[in-house]
Amino acid sequence: MLLMAKLYVAILIPALVLVVIAAIFACVLAFLGRKLEVKRDEKIVQVESLLSGANCGGCGFAGCSAFAEALANGKADLSACNATSKANKDKIAEILGTVNEGEEMSFVVCCNGGSACEDKYDYHGYGDCASMEMLAGGRKACPVGCMGAGTCVKHCDHHACEICEKGFASINDARCTLCGKCAKSCPKGLIRKIPARAKVFVACSNHAKGKEVRSYCKAGCIGCGMCQRVCPNGAITVVDNLAVIDYSKCTGCGACAVKCPSKCIKTR
Amino acid sequence: MNIYFTIIVGSVFVNNFVLSQFLGICPFLGVSKKTNTALGMGFAVIFVMSLASVFTYVVNEFVLIKLHLEYMQTIAFILIIAALVQSVEIVIKKFSPSLYSALGVYLPLITTNCAVLGVAILNIQKAYNLLQSFLNGLFAGVGFTLAIVLLAGIRERIHPKNVPESFRGFPITLIAAALLSMGFSAFSGMFGIS
């Protein structure tokens, strides 16, 4: 019995000492915290609550909180954030007294090649697109062809990038938070922004002449100009052997996608 | 030789916390990109180390030893250091927001900085009295500041240079730190301090 009592004391006293020390410090800290409280700018708090809160780091700042601070201090531009919805961006712009000109965007992969595009060599070895790119500019015969080794998949934190069964990358809009990491990671720069309302996009990035493109890729833009001719709104022009869509004129009728001989104008 | 002189020279040069005892390497590498942030970090460490030395000495002498609880040194010291760092953070946040944002995540990291705990425990091991503990803490902090500012100066000069790609960033910094540490090893045995 006595031994048990001694044991309890031997445990209780140290615990008590620690609790007392901790309590003293807690009081001091609470007092300091109250006394020296730093009021955060109301504007920053509001802006932060309107940002998406994804903390993806796509804007180049350390999270949404740091971005909100930079916005309030005029050190950042709202367009740097891809993840926040247009409605919220408008509200933020109102708070900051600026105008939000940005339109809601989404990302697309501008290549339709994959298995339709010939390989220059067989790649055996460690790595992804980035290491392939170092070896004679990638394994595809097309200098701007998606190599399908999944660097974008690896960089996407939201599982929105995938390599489809045809062998090129595609982006799942429902999952994409528009952080833009995939676009930065792609060594060919094939992942680009288009307006979210766009119904069609050109899934090829090759500026070479039609004959050359045909020699290695069945799905590449040959610059034939068919889309330019069928577009009722004059929204498409072929610039430097590649179709370019002017989204301010495009109504999304889809006539170009139907007529395109290589099927490289895709609907979404 | 005068013990105070020994403590001062010993903790700044001979037993420099970073360069010869390898304590506090995390902020040494993390906050040494720019000289002025390194200096800010150094002052924060000096401040926390000297305060921690005094507080831990008092708590050890008048609470732990009296109650025969010396085995609780580590946990009690960590508690004290954590509370100190928190109060330093609150004070800096209020009075120097620029230093606060420059130190960033590294200020809370002083909480778990082994150099601070190290100085507290070494004070006890070497049986220093209150003044000696304080001096040891203060000048260990000065030694830390000296090391981190020297490294920051070196890094600022290395940064724009054409360093081979595989050595860019931390590798070349570690090499610089190693050379710095070798330089400091020249102090060992000086003044009869080991």
Side-chain angles (χ1 to χ4, degrees):
Chain A
M1 226 20 220
L2 196 68
L3 190 75
M4 284 298 276
K6 263 189 180 166
L7 216 79
Y8 274 125
V9 170
I11 294 169
L12 274 180
I13 288 183
L16 215 74
V17 169
L18 268 194
V19 168
V20 170
I21 297 178
I24 293 171
F25 281 123
C27 291
V28 171
L29 279 181
F31 175 74
L32 273 180
R34 189 71 57 80
K35 202 83 184 155
L36 299 175
E37 194 186 357
V38 179
K39 283 232 157 51
R40 281 188 79 195
D41 195 343
E42 194 57 31
K43 216 156 87 175
I44 299 175
V45 179
Q46 278 178 357
V47 170
E48 196 186 336
S49 67
L50 283 170
L51 286 174
S52 71
N55 281 322
C56 59
C59 55
F61 288 90
C64 294
S65 152
F67 183 57
E69 209 173 309
L71 276 177
N73 297 331
K75 282 180 191 151
D77 194 66
L78 205 46
S79 61
C81 179
N82 292 323
T84 306
S85 71
K86 189 176 184 306
N88 277 9
K89 275 189 177 178
D90 286 340
K91 280 186 206 154
I92 293 172
E94 208 172 292
I95 294 170
L96 298 172
T98 53
V99 183
N100 173 33
E101 284 150 359
E103 181 176 14
E104 214 164 326
M105 304 300 260
S106 59
F107 279 101
V108 288
V109 179
C110 296
C111 177
N112 197 27
S115 50
C117 181
E118 276 171 34
D119 283 354
K120 200 155 45 178
Y121 56 81
D122 265 346
Y123 183 81
H124 293 283
Y126 168 79
D128 50 11
C129 311
S131 39
M132 263 185 215
E133 176 70 13
M134 280 188 261
L135 200 60
R139 73 181 168 109
K140 285 291 172 195
C142 171
V144 283
C146 174
M147 294 172 274
T151 293
C152 48
V153 178
K154 212 163 71 184
H155 280 80
C156 181
D157 297 331
H158 308 281
H159 308 288
C161 291
E162 57 194 11
I163 305 297
C164 69
E165 71 276 13
K166 285 179 190 158
F168 52 85
S170 69
I171 292 167
N172 183 342
D173 275 338
R175 285 181 179 165
C176 180
T177 65
L178 297 162
C179 71
K181 280 186 190 164
C182 53
K184 278 181 203 147
S185 74
C186 179
K188 302 280 194 198
L190 293 174
I191 303 180
R192 300 202 191 98
K193 259 187 193 175
I194 60 166
R197 60 175 176 81
K199 292 277 187 325
V200 289
F201 69 98
V202 181
C204 181
S205 307
N206 196 324
H207 285 286
K209 287 223 166 61
K211 197 178 166 204
E212 191 192 327
V213 174
R214 254 304 165 262
S215 71
Y216 47 68
C217 183
K218 292 187 197 74
C221 176
I222 50 173
C224 63
M226 181 63 91
C227 46
Q228 193 175 339
R229 284 193 292 279
V230 300
C231 181
N233 308 304
I236 308 183
T237 41
V238 174
V239 181
D240 203 8
N241 300 312
L242 183 65
V244 178
I245 301 175
D246 179 355
Y247 287 107
S248 62
K249 291 180 189 158
C250 175
T251 57
C253 65
C256 48
V258 175
K259 283 285 181 186
C260 177
S262 348
K263 299 286 168 232
C264 73
I265 296 185
K266 291 210 284 194
T267 51
R268 35 183 249 119
Chain B
M1 197 176 287
N2 188 330
I3 179 140
Y4 296 106
F5 178 74
T6 313
I7 288 175
I8 292 170
V9 175
S11 49
V12 176
F13 295 108
V14 184
N15 294 324
N16 187 296
F17 261 74
V18 179
L19 296 174
S20 62
Q21 306 203 42
F22 306 112
L23 295 169
I25 301 294
C26 165
F28 180 60
L29 294 174
V31 203
S32 58
K33 265 191 186 139
K34 285 190 191 128
T35 323
N36 33 357
T37 32
L39 208 59
M41 180 73 187
F43 281 123
V45 171
I46 292 179
F47 190 64
V48 172
M49 271 188 174
S50 8
L51 274 183
S53 301
V54 173
F55 274 76
T56 50
Y57 178 83
V58 171
V59 169
N60 185 57
E61 196 74 4
F62 298 108
V63 181
L64 297 185
I65 290 180
K66 285 269 149 54
L67 295 169
H68 304 290
L69 297 175
E70 290 93 338
Y71 62 89
M72 291 217 309
Q73 269 168 6
T74 311
I75 188 167
F77 289 0
I78 288 176
L79 193 66
I80 294 166
I81 293 165
L84 274 176
V85 172
Q86 277 303 309
S87 19
V88 171
E89 191 179 352
I90 292 171
V91 172
I92 290 184
K93 200 173 179 181
K94 176 78 180 174
F95 294 109
S96 176
S98 54
L99 180 59
Y100 177 75
S101 58
L103 290 178
V105 71
Y106 292 101
L107 188 60
L109 274 181
I110 302 181
T111 318
T112 47
N113 191 333
C114 52
V116 182
L117 184 64
V119 83
I121 285 177
L122 281 177
N123 283 337
I124 308 295
Q125 273 178 8
K126 294 193 175 170
Y128 287 153
N129 66 24
L130 183 58
L131 181 61
Q132 291 165 346
S133 299
F134 171 70
L135 279 180
N136 190 34
L138 177 67
F139 284 97
V142 171
F144 177 88
T145 311
L146 178 72
I148 197 172
V149 170
L150 282 177
L151 185 71
I154 294 172
R155 281 181 80 171
E156 272 181 355
R157 280 160 187 76
I158 288 176
H159 179 66
K161 296 284 166 5
N162 192 14
V163 178
E165 206 173 336
S166 50
F167 282 101
R168 250 171 238 168
F170 279 114
I172 193 77
T173 308
L174 283 169
I175 291 172
L179 292 174
L180 199 58
S181 160
M182 282 161 81
F184 266 68
S185 71
F187 287 114
S188 69
M190 237 178 162
F191 312 106
I193 309 164
S194 59

